[in-house]
Amino acid sequence: VATGIDVLNTDNDAIEVYPNPTTAVVNFRSKNLSKVENVILFDILGNKLLELNEIPENGINISKFTKGNYFVQIKTNTALTIKKISLQ
């Protein structure tokens, strides 16, 4: 029976987000060598603040945003992960 819903691996340990907390730049590393395909940054209310399909090797600078907590959704070719990050 087809439901039309894709099932993704939601392994929260598949991606490392560092440093956390950060003062400016956030980096992403796949622990299973999967390529990070997409990153979306949300505020704590769920508003999309930033979406990138090309991730710079030197990380993403989020210093233009207000200090506080955010959620980042990271998509690889094998997993979809959501992490909480803190900007100080």
Side-chain angles (χ1 to χ4, degrees):
V1 175
T3 62
I5 299 173
D6 291 332
V7 177
L8 293 174
N9 177 3
T10 56
D11 181 3
N12 276 342
D13 293 327
I15 302 290
E16 182 181 4
V17 178
Y18 65 96
N20 192 13
T22 185
T23 57
V25 176
V26 178
N27 296 286
F28 307 94
R29 179 176 28 225
S30 172
K31 293 182 180 178
N32 61 7
L33 303 178
S34 297
K35 181 180 185 291
V36 175
E37 297 177 345
N38 176 272
V39 172
I40 304 174
L41 182 70
F42 297 94
D43 65 16
I44 59 170
L45 299 176
N47 298 308
K48 186 190 303 185
L49 304 175
L50 178 70
E51 182 170 5
L52 295 172
N53 294 319
E54 297 285 329
I55 313 306
E57 286 188 28
N58 58 346
I60 298 172
N61 189 330
I62 62 169
S63 64
K64 68 180 179 181
F65 298 110
T66 305
K67 293 178 182 178
N69 293 315
Y70 295 88
F71 292 99
V72 63
Q73 175 182 293
I74 307 113
K75 181 181 178 188
T76 69
N77 58 343
T78 61
L80 179 65
T81 301
I82 297 175
K83 301 275 190 171
K84 181 179 171 185
I85 57 174
S86 181
L87 177 61
Q88 297 183 342

